Amino acid sequence: MVGRSRTIALKQVGDPYRYGAAGPAAFDCSGLVFFATHAAGFKRVPRSSGAQAGFMRPIAKSRMRAGDFMYFYGSGGVYHVGIFLGWSHGAARMLHAPGTGKRVTIARPWTTRWFGR
């Protein structure tokens, strides 16, 4: 079902970011993951990125597969989530809802401070 949630999330490319939104027309980062996983049948996935990171099992970066999740962290804990799409020229590619004034997009991470789930 991980592939199904990735496919659902990819259909949201171009949708606007809106804080606290979980679709179907706008998303914040964890709302995108929540929407896609629930639509794919994973009904127990929590809503916030911190709760999602605690709910899912760890995956080493070297073992990440398309559809896994990337959780970004800083001194305050987890603050962002993206959906891993694969490696390209040594860098991860992800789908995410980046922030206010932006749209759901495919991008490279801006930091190495992330872990897989």
Side-chain angles (χ1 to χ4, degrees):
M1 274 215 251
V2 171
R4 283 187 56 209
S5 63
R6 183 190 66 215
T7 300
I8 292 163
L10 281 167
K11 291 179 181 179
Q12 310 318 309
V13 168
D15 285 351
Y17 175 93
R18 188 171 66 231
Y19 182 79
F27 300 91
D28 66 10
C29 65
S30 59
L32 178 62
V33 169
F34 181 84
F35 176 81
T37 54
H38 281 240
F42 294 101
K43 302 292 185 187
R44 295 182 57 217
V45 174
R47 173 61 181 86
S48 72
S49 57
Q52 290 170 2
F55 175 78
M56 297 180 186
R57 69 173 170 52
I59 301 170
K61 286 183 181 181
S62 63
R63 300 185 66 83
M64 297 279 291
R65 296 185 326 188
D68 290 336
F69 303 106
M70 302 167 65
Y71 289 93
F72 294 81
Y73 63 93
S75 60
V78 171
Y79 65 87
H80 189 68
V81 59
I83 300 169
F84 182 76
L85 297 177
W87 296 100
S88 176
H89 305 288
R93 288 180 49 240
M94 66 178 182
L95 173 70
H96 72 139
T100 303
K102 299 183 180 174
R103 296 184 173 272
V104 174
T105 190
I106 295 171
R108 288 185 175 184
W110 58 94
T111 179
T112 58
R113 293 180 57 118
W114 61 272
F115 56 88
R117 294 281 199 245

